Amino acid sequence: MAEDPSGWSLTESDPQVFTQLLRDLGVKGLQVDDLYSLDPSTLETLKPIHALIFLFKYVESSGASGEGTSGVEVDPLENGVWFANQVINNSCGTLAALNAVMNIHPQPSSHPGETVELGPELDNLRDFGAGMGSQDLGHILSSSPHIREVHNSFSKSSPFSLDPTAFPEREKEDAYHFVAYLPVNGILYELDGLRRNPIMHASVEEGDGWLDIARDTIESRIGTYPPGSLMFNLLCVRSAAIPRLQRLLQDPTTPAEMRYQLQDQLDHERTKAQRGEVENALRRHNLLPTVFALFKAMGEKGLMSKAVEEARAKGKERKERRAVKGEE
Amino acid sequence: MSTIISVPAGRCHRRSEDSKWVDPSPEKGLLEMNLEDDLLHLWWKSRVTGSVEDELIIFPGEATFAKVDQDPSGRTHILKFSSSDQKYFFWFQRATSAGDVRVQVDVNALLQDPSYRPGTAPLPIPSTPQQTQERSWPPTPGAPRLSHPEPAPRAPAPVAETPTQVAGSSTAAAGGMDIDEGHVQQEEMARLLVEWAQHGGLGSVEEDARLTDVLSPANISQLLKTHPDLASSLTPLLPPGLSLPSNPTEQDLIPILTAPQFTDAIASLDNALRSGGLPGGMMRELGLPESAGTSVKGFLEGLIGLNKPEGEGASDDRMDED
């Protein structure tokens, strides 16, 4: 199993990867964040939220039937939903992000940095694909050299293509499945590139009210799996936070009691963005020369024998644990 | 006025006044339905000229919209009035026929009830994916039908036999036919390899130590703390954009070198060495014997060999001092 024949490499499902991916595709004014909780106070600090991306995987691969969803399949074209099917491997995260943002309406703003827009590249893609079926849109996305390039740019740090069978932990990461939830024209949809059509859930009010319904929908979906059989993570696509926080802090009408909280949020966003930049720079760089240099230094400085001994002990332990597990 | 449905479709015309043959016209158009003053309008609009032609006002229940079974492509549909013998033919022009059934159901439902919301009526036939119908041979126990690591949502639930019994699948798939089989065999192969490795594998070549444990974040920190001079040689290997000061110290580098991306890169090196090895030339360039590229064990032994016995204890910065 060498290079994936599709030419799409596996990328991490990290919010910072998604944020940078959207930025590189020309999207303005959006960022992606982990959502650790769906309770109203958490959501309040993140608003406005435009879409949720639900990542999940079945712990027991044998039980994967995907029928945990409710709702009605509808034709995307007739309902004004932009929806592309996943037609190739390894693209599910990027596809879910695109299915989400292509349905987010541009939001002009007079404040710098707060305008939400898709940018020329994705606008063109949308115009070009107008009236096309989901399968065709999937093919258009997967054959776009720029999208593929941006997607692949996040997996440069390990130039050897990863063989999932050699990496039990890795394999689990790959088995994640991505589904976007968002409101389009007043209706909450579930966009799952591996299904033929979007799934219509319920009509929702203007504004942030859709999040309540999305939360119920996702929670009831989680509830259809036996406890412990599902691992999941939730991401949100939201308006870029830093420009808004900066503006509010500069605004003399912002009440003093809010300022501490806003400043905290701004500091948090800045730290996060900085860490994201570092991690993305590492993802986009061949790290092997550094790895080799570190290994060589370990060897030259005489630290290798001890480290190898310890690693062997750890490996044996792991093997024994696995053997016990295998006999169960 | 609001457009309820708009679907790319062309018209079909009778060959002659009373011919039973209809031919599709290539002109691109849209079949649209609108509600205007509570009246349902249906028209065909040319996508070339943009002009509306064939505008019809249809009362609820007056007409039906159905697929023409005689057309093998399945894309020709007929609008048929029960109150008269008017008939109109259309053919769907969307790039794929995947959504044709939904459009037909929606158009027909709207003709019966203008307050109908598209997408809400059930489809006549459950949309079973074709593959499940084509697969007549029994599902392989324990091997979910996945063509790649991402789960396919429609994968039929595997039968509840002992899920570990993959070996049995080889007989089931022996007469096999399609691409999935390759995957099953691959899975089986991987499993056999794991079993083989668990029982000792080649023994001497198999290495218990993982490179990610050898070059663990803790060991990297330790290395840099005891040898801060390494910082200057490591920095040029790192990418720009890390917001590092101009002459980073080991304290600046440790958080970067212990980032998860490094662990991933080390894991991929481990993987490469375990699954086929690396070119000897690459190892030579690193100052290692060529055998270091053949396995994890060889690599580690090569690295241990870098520490010359006579250099022990004084190997840090001073070399060949005598």
Side-chain angles (χ1 to χ4, degrees), chain A residues 65 78 86 136 167 194 285 312, chain B residues 95 103 150-151 153 207 267 271:
Chain A
S65 71
E78 278 142 36
Q86 186 184 333
D136 292 325
F167 274 94
L194 289 178
H285 186 73
R312 277 187 184 145
Chain B
V103 178
E150 291 157 7
E207 173 59 60
N271 186 16

Side-chain angles (χ1 to χ4, degrees), chain A residues 62 65 75 77-78 86 89-90 92 136 158 163 166-167 170 194 283 285 296 299 301 304 312 316 318-319, chain B residues 94-96 103 106 119 148 150-151 153 158 207-208 213-214 237 239 261 264-265 267-268 271 286 307 316:
Chain A
S62 54
S65 71
D75 187 290
L77 290 168
E78 278 142 36
Q86 186 184 333
N89 292 357
N90 296 343
C92 57
D136 292 325
S158 317
D163 177 355
F167 274 94
R170 266 279 162 186
L194 289 178
R283 288 185 182 103
H285 186 73
K296 272 190 77 174
K301 309 297 181 195
M304 211 59 207
R312 277 187 184 145
K316 282 211 177 82
R318 194 165 24 225
K319 213 152 109 179
Chain B
R94 284 193 305 185
T96 76
V103 178
D106 284 347
H148 59 88
E150 291 157 7
E207 173 59 60
D208 287 338
D213 289 332
V214 176
L237 302 172
Q261 287 71 38
D264 284 352
S268 93
N271 186 16
L286 290 165
N307 183 232
D316 295 22

Side-chain angles (χ1 to χ4, degrees), chain B residues 223-261:
Chain B
L223 174 71
L224 269 98
K225 276 181 193 151
T226 51
H227 302 278
D229 55 301
L230 285 171
S232 58
S233 58
L234 288 170
T235 307
L237 302 172
L238 294 170
L242 298 177
S243 344
L244 286 170
S246 53
N247 278 309
T249 64
E250 78 282 3
Q251 292 300 339
D252 298 322
L253 291 188
I254 287 174
I256 288 169
L257 297 174
T258 54
Q261 287 71 38

Side-chain angles (χ1 to χ4, degrees), chain B residues 270-282:
Chain B
D270 184 290
N271 186 16
L273 284 165
R274 270 178 223 278
S275 57
L278 296 173
M282 191 174 175

Side-chain angles (χ1 to χ4, degrees), chain A residues 216-236:
Chain A
D216 292 348
T217 309
I218 293 171
E219 280 175 352
S220 71
R221 175 161 193 179
I222 293 168
T224 61
Y225 300 94
S229 69
L230 190 71
M231 275 173 70
F232 60 91
N233 189 11
L234 207 51
L235 302 173
C236 65

